[in-house]
Amino acid sequence: MSETLTPRARHPWLGGADLLAGALVLGGVWVALPARWWPVDVVGTLLGAAFVVTGVGLLVGAPWSERAGVLVGRVALAVGLALVTLLAVTASHLAGLYGPVGRGGALILAVVGLLVVPYLVLLPVAQLVTLRKR
């Protein structure tokens, strides 16, 4: 009895983007941050590892990869929006409370927010749009 095997959909650009995002999240948490704080370490490590696993699955066309991609996209979007919101609120607080010195700190937080948006907001949105059920 021969069964017809349907090839799994592969998503090479999305898998590669997930691998890149995973590497950047893990590098950002474990290399770029100057201090350790366990909530950031745990969430960042889990999110980065999930990006890497999903990226590999999407590259090879694993049967579970599209469902995992949707789940990781939703979680990453929630984390990204929360992080951008917290950075914006903190930047406005610093700028309003501490004058010129606070505006300098707010500028740094704004730059960090701009660096986060492509990988934790735009990529998850693209992933959710690409992997949605047709």
Side-chain angles (χ1 to χ4, degrees), residues 92-109:
S92 66
H93 177 73
L94 282 176
L97 193 60
Y98 295 107
V101 173
R103 282 192 291 277
L107 179 63
I108 292 171
L109 291 176

Side-chain angles (χ1 to χ4, degrees), residues 20-121:
L20 175 65
L24 289 173
V25 168
L26 289 170
V29 168
W30 291 105
V31 176
L33 290 178
R36 304 272 52 98
W37 189 44
W38 74 266
V40 173
D41 293 346
V42 169
V43 172
T45 301
L46 290 175
L47 187 60
F51 267 130
V52 169
V53 169
T54 303
V56 170
L58 289 169
L59 281 175
V60 300
W64 48 265
S65 63
E66 290 184 357
R67 284 179 303 205
V70 169
L71 179 63
V72 169
R74 287 178 178 165
V75 170
L77 183 60
V79 168
L81 290 175
L83 181 59
V84 169
T85 301
L86 289 172
L87 288 170
V89 168
T90 304
S92 66
H93 177 73
L94 282 176
L97 193 60
Y98 295 107
V101 173
R103 282 192 291 277
L107 179 63
I108 292 171
L109 291 176
V111 169
V112 170
L114 290 175
L115 292 172
V116 165
V117 167
Y119 304 104
L120 293 182
V121 176

